[in-house]
Amino acid sequence: MIEVGSSLKSTTTVLVHSPIGYRQDEQEVKELQSLVACLNCTVYYIAKFRLRTINSKHHLGSGQLAELSSLVKALPPCTLVFNSELTPTQQKHIQQQLCVDVVDRTQIIFALFAKRATSHLGKIQVELASLRYASTRLVGGWTHLERQRGGIGLRGGPGESQLEIDRRLIKSRIRKLERQLIKLQAQQAQNRKRRVKNKIPIIGIMGYTNAGKTTLYNALTKQSQFSSSQIFATLDPKAGRLVLPCGMKAIVMDTVGFVRDLPHSLLDAFRATLDEIHYADLICIVIDSSSEHADVEYAIMQETLESLELHTTRQLCVYNKKDLSNDDLVPCISISAFNKSDVRQLADVLSKELRNLSDTVI
Ligand SMILES: Nc1nc2c(ncn2[C@@H]2O[C@H](COP(=O)(O)OP(=O)(O)OP(=O)(O)O)[C@@H](O)[C@H]2O)c(=O)[nH]1
Ligand SMILES: [Mg+2]
């Protein structure tokens, strides 16, 4: 059973990393470690298994499950955090066989989003996504919902099973949240109309989590929104005004950061928040140039933009944190070989690059 938006039962965790085959995946483990750390949990141990195939009943192979079981017995009480998405059946079987709490990466991301949501809109979106996700995984009771929501739903008629009550409770809560979301979206549409009427261009800032989007947003709009080295520091989009050196006014929008394998239901919930970005004239893709995996993060970002149908909006790549980067950035320039001025600009960049190279050689 998934506790909607709650933190883990035990704050001591054992991470279970079990990719298929042999691939470089240290970053995936580090990312899960940071997600868990953001929930104030400690990682006691990282268990790694290589899978040839995924076991439909308990995810790991039988021998691997026995190995994990002995490990768990030797450790203090903990929660097992799987670095992959488990089916409800797999989760239930591992829990039963090892007598420990089990959560997967998706549930960790949900818990973190729930912890970070501050605005009314953000809270509604996260709860909606959690409930939609949970409704597809209902295998047991859902009585904690009644506790959490102060007794919504009440008991059904005679003969209604716990599972039926659970489904009804979730459905009615989802409907209520959807109605609230529609109202908030109508308000957003009003604000948007005003901007369109005033013909103010919109610049969206997007990128992998922790790339420095909010820091850049603050620098551009002279605001002081919360920025932090923690993953998913921003959940609620912010919009601020910017006056460009040419005197043109623009709206700059900061957005939620993305990670690999962001649960689809979360992405769907955040579609509403990211609706505004569909009206952007330009998207600044912020890339952390000091990250060892900047290229992977960039690829994940492009995939996400595609799934949000934002890939056709004009983009500008901004390589941030160059003060931390040891590598020389891959230079970017866009030209038309038919355009003399572009070719001159390219010649300038080439001479600058070559000068830099010869400086390094000397
Ligand atoms: N050294 C250095 N650190 C930076 C730079 N820009 C941002 N940071 C730091 O990077 C961390 C993340 O910055 P944020 O602006 O919160 O990043 P974000 O992309 O908004 O992150 P999320 O909202 O979590 O997606 C913070 O600790 C910032 O101080 C930079 O140019 N150089
Ligand atoms: Mg941010």
Side-chain angles (χ1 to χ4, degrees):
M1 188 169 70
I2 308 145
E3 296 279 351
V4 180
S6 70
S7 50
L8 307 182
K9 281 191 191 141
S10 166
T11 53
T12 306
T13 63
V14 169
L15 307 190
V16 183
H17 184 60
S18 50
I20 298 181
Y22 290 86
R23 58 186 164 87
Q24 288 289 323
D25 44 29
E26 272 316 302
Q27 200 217 355
E28 291 175 31
V29 180
K30 274 195 199 148
E31 212 165 80
L32 185 66
Q33 273 179 288
S34 351
L35 287 168
V36 167
C38 292
L39 288 171
N40 301 328
C41 295
T42 47
V43 176
Y44 196 84
Y45 190 81
I46 302 173
K48 291 186 180 175
F49 299 99
R50 297 279 168 195
L51 305 186
R52 250 183 292 162
T53 51
I54 291 177
N55 184 302
S56 59
K57 197 170 165 197
H58 28 66
H59 183 78
L60 302 173
S62 310
Q64 292 168 329
L65 194 68
E67 205 182 306
L68 188 60
S69 174
S70 331
L71 180 78
V72 166
K73 279 183 194 140
L75 294 177
C78 62
T79 297
L80 289 184
V81 181
F82 276 72
N83 200 9
S84 25
E85 190 162 343
L86 298 175
T87 64
T89 315
Q90 289 166 339
Q91 189 172 4
K92 197 174 87 185
H93 277 117
I94 304 169
Q95 235 156 231
Q96 280 172 352
Q97 290 198 25
L98 272 58
C99 300
V100 280
D101 287 319
V102 174
V103 292
D104 66 6
R105 188 174 180 278
T106 305
Q107 287 164 295
I108 291 286
I109 294 180
F110 272 126
L112 189 52
F113 267 64
K115 189 178 165 197
R116 290 282 162 77
T118 49
S119 73
H120 188 38
L121 181 62
K123 283 183 181 159
I124 289 180
Q125 284 169 319
V126 174
E127 194 185 340
L128 202 52
S130 309
L131 288 172
R132 281 186 185 142
Y133 175 74
S135 65
T136 62
R137 302 171 64 95
L138 260 193
V139 283
W142 199 266
T143 44
H144 65 281
L145 252 188
E146 285 170 278
R147 286 202 305 275
Q148 275 187 357
R149 302 286 157 218
I152 52 157
L154 307 170
R155 288 233 138 238
E160 192 177 20
S161 74
Q162 185 58 54
L163 203 62
E164 283 161 351
I165 298 171
D166 293 346
R167 288 214 176 97
R168 187 167 53 77
L169 283 171
I170 291 184
K171 253 193 200 159
S172 98
R173 181 77 191 149
I174 286 179
R175 272 200 299 270
K176 191 169 173 201
L177 291 171
E178 280 172 345
R179 281 197 297 272
Q180 291 181 6
L181 197 60
I182 289 170
K183 268 194 199 156
L184 288 168
Q185 278 172 306
Q187 275 169 20
Q188 277 187 338
Q190 280 300 325
N191 294 342
R192 202 157 47 225
K193 258 193 205 157
R194 217 171 303 135
R195 277 179 210 140
V196 172
K197 200 171 145 211
N198 295 338
K199 293 204 176 80
I200 304 178
I202 298 173
I203 303 169
I205 301 183
M206 300 189 84
Y208 208 74
T209 185
N210 211 30
K213 300 178 292 299
T214 304
T215 311
L216 179 62
Y217 170 85
N218 285 340
L220 289 170
T221 60
K222 301 190 175 54
Q223 290 195 25
S224 50
Q225 297 297 339
F226 175 66
S227 93
S228 145
S229 57
Q230 292 196 336
I231 262 174
F232 298 132
T234 308
L235 282 193
D236 303 316
K238 298 279 174 330
R241 279 176 179 267
L242 161 72
V243 181
L244 292 162
C246 62
M248 186 191 247
K249 285 182 188 150
I251 303 279
V252 184
M253 297 190 81
D254 186 17
T255 58
V256 62
F258 293 101
V259 289
R260 75 183 68 234
D261 303 328
L262 197 66
H264 274 290
S265 32
L266 254 182
L267 201 57
D268 279 346
F270 274 78
R271 248 174 232 279
T273 313
L274 294 166
D275 244 13
E276 296 282 293
I277 293 290
H278 283 96
Y279 297 85
D281 301 277
L282 178 73
I283 294 179
C284 276
I285 308 276
V286 182
I287 302 152
D288 178 351
S289 56
S290 69
S291 162
E292 274 175 62
H293 308 278
D295 49 346
V296 178
E297 291 167 7
Y298 176 76
I300 291 169
M301 201 46 225
Q302 289 298 347
E303 266 172 37
T304 314
L305 287 179
E306 200 158 329
S307 60
L308 290 166
E309 288 153 28
L310 282 166
H311 55 294
T312 51
T313 308
R314 189 163 171 75
Q315 295 180 2
L316 175 74
C317 287
V318 180
Y319 286 89
N320 190 32
K321 306 195 189 181
K322 75 168 189 186
D323 53 302
L324 295 180
S325 168
N326 296 323
D327 299 334
D328 284 333
L329 298 178
V330 180
C332 287
I333 180 166
S334 156
I335 64 152
S336 161
F338 293 142
N339 184 314
K340 280 188 185 156
S341 145
D342 281 2
V343 176
R344 259 199 311 273
Q345 211 186 333
L346 175 63
D348 280 346
V349 173
L350 287 175
S351 56
K352 207 167 134 198
E353 286 300 314
L354 292 174
R355 264 204 312 273
N356 285 348
L357 270 181
S358 62
D359 285 352
T360 326
V361 174
I362 293 160

